[in-house]
Amino acid sequence: MSLEPPPETISFFVQGEPVAQPRGRAFNVKGLGIRVASAPTKHPIHLWKQALMGSCEQVMTGFRLYDDPIDVTLVFLMARPKSMPKRTANERVPHTKKPDIDNVAKGVLDAFNARLWVDDSQIYSLKISKRYVMGDEKPGVFVRVSVVVPDLPF
């Protein structure tokens, strides 16, 4: 079965509470003189990445992976705390608390390697934003990937 080239632009939403990519922990193994790096096995990032990978595989069914330079936009929708004023429920309020935006994006980019694009090193430009959900929106991430148009003046 021959796969089609990927669309010039693809957009989709992955529902779920965005989770920051944890830092790996390194430790020395006594007596062996080696240093071992490990990631937490029971961290919620694993469930979040499963949701990301599943959505990605559905969207990319029948298409080859992106293998050219790409522009990526990620808009994270974070759950509203109960303490947030109700008068702002239908406003786009920036999310400026933990988790850090770069750590949340890292988990998404890693999850899409070999599922949406060949490798995240292909990303030519990356726009990331984080805001609280509005109205009936659910937490998650909007993803938009576009093939880079050559010879941009900027």
Side-chain angles (χ1 to χ4, degrees):
M1 177 176 121
S2 179
L3 297 175
E4 295 289 319
E8 197 142 318
T9 298
I10 195 166
S11 299
F12 58 99
F13 179 73
V14 182
Q15 187 174 326
E17 187 62 39
V19 177
Q21 177 72 37
R23 298 193 189 282
R25 304 287 183 229
F27 56 92
N28 292 321
V29 178
K30 289 185 178 181
L32 296 179
I34 59 173
R35 189 161 176 83
V36 177
S38 69
T41 55
K42 294 186 179 186
H43 195 278
I45 189 69
H46 300 294
L47 291 175
W48 174 232
K49 282 187 174 183
Q50 284 178 348
L52 292 164
M53 292 183 285
S55 293
C56 182
E57 288 170 0
Q58 284 182 331
V59 169
M60 290 303 287
T61 299
F63 295 109
R64 292 192 308 258
L65 299 178
Y66 286 93
D67 57 3
D68 291 321
I70 50 177
D71 291 319
V72 176
T73 302
L74 303 174
V75 179
F76 291 96
L77 304 184
M78 311 302 281
R80 296 174 68 86
K82 293 189 189 308
S83 62
M84 192 169 228
K86 292 193 185 335
R87 69 179 184 285
T88 63
N90 290 316
E91 296 176 15
R92 287 198 167 136
V93 179
H95 182 279
T96 56
K97 308 284 183 201
K98 297 273 185 185
D100 293 351
I101 198 168
D102 57 329
N103 294 331
V104 177
K106 180 70 173 146
V108 173
L109 300 179
D110 287 349
F112 290 161
N113 279 339
R115 286 177 182 81
L116 184 58
W117 47 66
V118 175
D119 187 77
D120 56 2
S121 64
Q122 298 165 232
I123 298 173
Y124 171 77
S125 70
L126 176 62
K127 181 177 182 191
I128 314 164
S129 60
K130 231 178 20 159
R131 67 173 175 82
Y132 290 106
V133 295
M134 296 181 356
D136 294 336
E137 290 178 327
K138 303 289 185 205
V141 62
F142 283 104
V143 179
R144 182 171 174 259
V145 178
S146 301
V147 175
V148 171
V149 178
D151 300 317
L152 292 175
F154 48 88

